[in-house]
């Protein structure tokens, strides 16, 4: 059940699990704003092929966003990172 999988990926992503953030985006990649946000959060914690793929997908998602949308998402990323520092 895709809807259930997305729900669980989102819950794990919100807990700060980079692989779950990446997996969530693989299912919601057409939601460009959310894809950009979650990959921006995940990228600092990814490695190898997953990092390469995440970077490409994030760049693609960014190409669909207006500058003001991207600026708001960048601020959201900063707030998320500040709230989830380890």
């Amino acid at each position: 059940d895709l809807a259930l999988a997305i729900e669980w990926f989102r819950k794990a992503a919100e807990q700060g699990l980079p692989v779950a953030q990446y997996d969530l985006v693989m299912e919601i990649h057409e939601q460009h704003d959310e894809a950009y946000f979650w990959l921006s959060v995940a990228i600092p914690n990814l490695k190898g092929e997953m990092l390469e793929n995440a970077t490409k997908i994030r760049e693609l998602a960014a190409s669909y966003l207006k500058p003001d949308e991207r600026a708001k998402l960048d601020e959201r990323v900063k707030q998320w990172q500040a709230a989830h520092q380890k």
Side-chain angles (χ1 to χ4, degrees):
D1 182 347
L2 182 57
L4 186 58
I6 290 171
E7 180 182 336
W8 283 104
F9 283 141
R10 186 174 303 279
K11 287 179 181 187
E14 291 170 352
Q15 294 298 312
L17 300 172
V19 173
Q21 294 160 346
Y22 176 87
D23 289 340
L24 174 62
V25 171
M26 296 304 103
E27 300 303 331
I28 65 162
H29 59 86
E30 292 180 4
Q31 296 175 25
H32 306 295
D33 56 341
E34 286 298 296
Y36 179 86
F37 170 76
W38 285 114
L39 290 176
S40 295
V41 169
I43 282 173
N45 300 301
L46 297 175
K47 296 179 182 171
E49 187 176 332
M50 195 175 282
L51 173 59
E52 292 173 25
N53 290 339
T55 301
K56 290 175 187 175
I57 295 166
R58 186 184 137 205
E59 288 173 9
L60 179 61
S63 73
Y64 288 94
L65 300 172
K66 295 176 184 174
D68 63 319
E69 293 171 323
R70 189 171 172 180
K72 287 178 185 177
L73 289 167
D74 288 338
E75 182 58 33
R76 184 176 160 204
V77 169
K78 287 180 189 176
Q79 291 173 358
W80 193 95
Q81 290 170 333
H84 293 85
Q85 286 182 346
K86 294 181 181 180

